[in-house]
Amino acid sequence: MFKVMDTLTGNEETLITGLFKKTQPLQGTLAAIDESLEGHVTALLKEGDISADSMAVAKIFPLGKTHLKRIYISGLGREKEWGFEAAREAFGNIVKRLLADRKTEAVIDLDSFTSEHLNGLEAAHALAEALELASYKIKDYKHKSNEPEKKIEELTVLTKEDASEIKAALFVGAAHGRGTNSARTLVNMPSNILTANELAEHAKMLADRYGFECEILEKEEMQKLGMGAMLAVNQGSAEPPKMITLKYNGNENSTETIGLVGKGITFDTGGYSIKTKSGIVGMKTDMGGAAAVLGAMEIIGELKPEQNVVAVIPSTDNVISATAFKPDDVIISMSGKTIEVLNTDAEGRLVLADAITYAKHHGATHLVDVATLTGGVIVALGNDMTGATTNNDALYEQVTAASKECGEPIWQLPITEKDTKRVKSSKMADLSNSPGREGHAIMAAAFLKEFAEDTPWVHLDIAGTSVTNKESRLGPSGATGVMARTLATFIENFEV
Ligand code: BES
Ligand code: MN
Ligand code: ZN
């Protein structure tokens, strides 16, 4: 897909180059083109027909004065404001334009996209990631697609930097983009197709491809292990539950194992505490946490960081039948803690409770869980920020740093002693799964904290960020694949 070259061969048709504001005289490749076009680029700039404003794209036709048939000039805005995020956006913008123009091949003048704040390797990473993300198309089930399939088959990267280093950076960026896209695809799939069993099959496929250890616990094994919280949620279902574990051992000299836990509710009706007819639509996406973890594992499989990782995904749907669990039920979790179920729609924390305990059984010394856990986090933070809670500031720092690096912002919510008291306020059991609507994103987190216990833990509530209703430069509306990249980056950079 990518080629790297240091000069044009004379056979290229389409060139893409970037232009910062106030770059006069023109530099690099664009200066050379301007010369062959007898100052035409400079003239167009002066007239305002070419703009260096961020996200502006101009297309010029050399009409035989160079071997190129067309040149796209991508406005990059002010050099001072340029960085990895801006670059990803600009590359996504250009990719969308090329797709719209049905260009399947192009050369990109990478060095024109670098600055004091973005070196060639970072630019290459941003380019490859953006190419994957911006080209993503939802896998639908239409007999006839609304649009013809569009794809960029070959992108040649023109740069004076070391070709093998650039290739490595392109590989990393593409892996991040593809892992995110896989997460998007899982989230967009309807629950009649993506059952717990199918999610387990996807995990097995990753295990085969990358040599992970894979364990899928069936209902009987969960019963033996006493996973009463997980089983309560599955109790009304016709679909067998799966506790999915993937293990990646990338560092035998380390005693640390990072546990990634992802909520894998394939559909959330709410159970007997049933959702409204509008609130239930979209609940096929309630496995966004599982998708993020599997997307991260795909990236890890590609990039092979020197870390040990155990990924645990509790998967079932949450539905109603004569056998379903009910409000007022008291259940016993794998940890031994008893839980009074006051709301069957607070099912995520139940399956996660046993999954967190199980990740520790598999040797997790650090934990990050990801879940579409509460509507409360959407009320608190909206759709741009993932809510986060922790019992360990040092671990939280590492997760935030990764989230910043990936452009997936997180924002911390507190868990106070009083919050913990509320979670323990049940008359009937050690914990209540729903101690009232006040601060309920925090209640869910405070509940999970009781299962993380002393293990350093960060919780990410992606209910507001896993799906978007807006198309962007880096993808269509629908699943975002949020946190796949952040988790993978956190793992790549993890230090004790
Ligand atoms: N899966 C939902 C949370 C959710 C809501 C995700 C909207 C995406 C969009 C979760 O299981 C849930 O139902 N949470 C309840 C908790 C409440 C009953 C304490 C909620 O947030 O209303
Ligand atoms: Mn629910
Ligand atoms: Zn749910």
Side-chain angles (χ1 to χ4, degrees):
M1 180 137 189
F2 287 111
K3 279 206 277 188
V4 180
M5 295 200 312
D6 62 358
T7 45
L8 295 173
T9 61
N11 293 317
E12 297 83 3
E13 294 194 346
T14 304
L15 178 82
I16 305 154
T17 182
L19 179 64
F20 287 109
K21 274 193 152 175
K22 304 209 170 100
T23 327
Q24 272 151 2
L26 295 172
Q27 288 166 15
T29 311
L30 197 54
I33 288 167
D34 192 40
E35 208 179 299
S36 359
L37 302 187
E38 294 149 27
H40 193 49
V41 177
T42 307
L44 288 171
L45 255 172
K46 228 178 241 158
E47 306 254 329
D49 293 306
I50 296 175
S51 164
D53 285 355
S54 161
M55 302 304 151
V57 177
K59 191 167 156 187
I60 62 171
F61 301 96
L63 303 175
K65 287 188 179 156
T66 82
H67 69 280
L68 297 158
K69 281 201 181 147
R70 60 195 76 80
I71 301 162
Y72 288 89
I73 301 175
S74 167
L76 306 182
R78 286 177 219 280
E79 198 166 342
K80 277 203 307 240
E81 286 156 25
W82 186 245
F84 189 77
E85 264 319 289
R88 274 190 343 137
E89 289 273 324
F91 288 135
N93 193 41
I94 274 285
V95 165
K96 290 220 150 178
R97 178 64 185 269
L98 290 177
L99 291 173
D101 290 358
R102 300 198 196 298
K103 295 291 164 269
T104 56
E105 284 178 24
V107 186
I108 184 158
D109 173 21
L110 189 72
D111 298 346
S112 67
F113 291 86
T114 60
S115 76
E116 213 183 302
H117 309 295
L118 193 80
N119 66 35
L121 300 183
E122 292 162 332
H125 177 148
L127 170 64
E129 187 172 302
L131 176 60
E132 293 292 339
L133 293 177
S135 311
Y136 178 75
K137 196 176 162 291
I138 287 189
K139 298 203 176 18
D140 61 34
Y141 304 89
K142 295 171 196 273
H143 279 104
K144 226 176 134 205
S145 179
N146 293 339
E147 293 167 55
E149 185 70 35
K150 293 182 241 168
K151 234 183 132 193
I152 296 172
E153 314 270 350
E154 193 175 279
L155 198 58
T156 303
V157 174
L158 184 67
T159 180
K160 300 286 179 215
E161 308 254 347
D162 180 81
S164 66
E165 284 182 23
I166 291 288
K167 275 187 189 150
L170 290 166
F171 183 77
V172 172
H176 279 234
R178 281 201 298 266
T180 305
N181 286 344
S182 297
R184 289 170 167 179
T185 295
L186 289 171
V187 173
N188 285 325
M189 283 167 82
S191 76
N192 62 326
I193 296 175
L194 188 76
T195 57
N197 188 58
E198 280 306 303
L199 203 58
E201 288 300 319
H202 181 86
K204 277 191 215 163
M205 179 275 290
L206 291 179
D208 284 349
R209 195 196 288 168
Y210 298 116
F212 301 145
E213 286 171 33
C214 180
E215 176 200 76
I216 313 289
L217 292 185
E218 303 294 334
K219 188 171 176 171
E220 297 68 36
E221 293 156 301
M222 293 183 220
Q223 281 163 340
K224 276 189 203 133
L225 287 164
M227 294 181 169
M230 170 70 185
L231 290 166
V233 176
N234 177 256
Q235 212 171 284
S237 180
E239 287 291 335
K242 306 283 168 182
M243 185 66 79
I244 304 164
T245 303
L246 287 177
K247 256 192 190 173
Y248 164 75
N249 303 313
N251 187 346
E252 55 185 25
N253 300 321
S254 166
T255 53
E256 314 300 319
T257 298
I258 306 161
L260 300 180
V261 177
K263 174 177 172 181
I265 297 292
T266 56
F267 195 86
D268 182 12
T269 68
Y272 276 102
S273 313
I274 194 165
K275 291 184 182 294
T276 61
K277 67 171 172 270
S278 61
I280 210 165
V281 176
M283 279 301 141
K284 67 173 183 181
T285 65
D286 211 14
M287 31 55 69
V293 168
L294 291 169
M297 290 305 283
E298 185 175 328
I299 299 170
I300 289 163
E302 290 287 334
L303 304 182
K304 308 194 185 337
E306 290 182 8
Q307 306 285 359
N308 302 316
V309 183
V310 58
V312 178
I313 291 164
S315 187
T316 174
D317 51 10
N318 180 25
V319 298
I320 299 174
S321 75
T323 62
F325 77 138
K326 299 173 294 298
D328 290 348
D329 285 359
V330 173
I331 57 183
I332 310 174
S333 66
M334 185 186 179
S335 72
K337 293 186 192 217
T338 55
I339 304 163
E340 184 180 19
V341 177
L342 292 179
N343 191 326
T344 59
D345 199 9
E347 85 297 342
R349 68 199 73 180
L350 299 177
V351 300
L352 289 170
D354 281 345
I356 285 173
T357 304
Y358 196 53
K360 290 197 288 186
H361 275 242
H362 267 297
T365 55
H366 298 75
L367 287 165
V368 181
D369 81 76
V370 193
T372 48
L373 205 57
T374 65
V377 83
I378 312 176
V379 176
L381 299 176
N383 294 110
D384 299 323
M385 286 272 178
T386 291
T389 45
T390 188
N391 63 5
N392 185 294
D393 291 338
L395 187 68
Y396 182 79
E397 276 314 309
Q398 296 197 44
V399 176
T400 335
S403 92
K404 280 191 186 137
E405 206 175 312
C406 299
E408 299 183 321
I410 71 178
W411 195 261
Q412 192 176 358
L413 300 171
I415 302 174
T416 65
E417 283 298 317
K418 282 186 182 166
D419 295 323
T420 299
K421 271 202 184 126
R422 279 179 68 202
V423 172
K424 292 182 178 171
S425 66
S426 166
K427 283 203 174 63
M428 297 298 290
D430 299 329
L431 301 167
S432 155
N433 86 325
S434 183
R437 62 195 289 273
E438 298 83 3
H440 79 249
I442 293 173
M443 285 303 106
F447 182 93
L448 296 180
K449 184 166 177 259
E450 295 308 303
F451 295 88
E453 299 175 299
D454 303 333
T455 307
W457 157 83
V458 172
H459 159 62
L460 300 171
D461 191 337
I462 57 169
T465 49
S466 67
V467 174
T468 175
N469 54 18
K470 288 185 293 258
E471 182 186 349
S472 77
R473 295 189 179 92
L474 295 166
S477 63
T480 58
V482 75
M483 292 300 139
R485 275 176 287 128
T486 293
L487 290 179
T489 303
F490 157 71
I491 295 209
E492 287 156 40
N493 300 341
F494 178 75
E495 280 174 23
V496 189

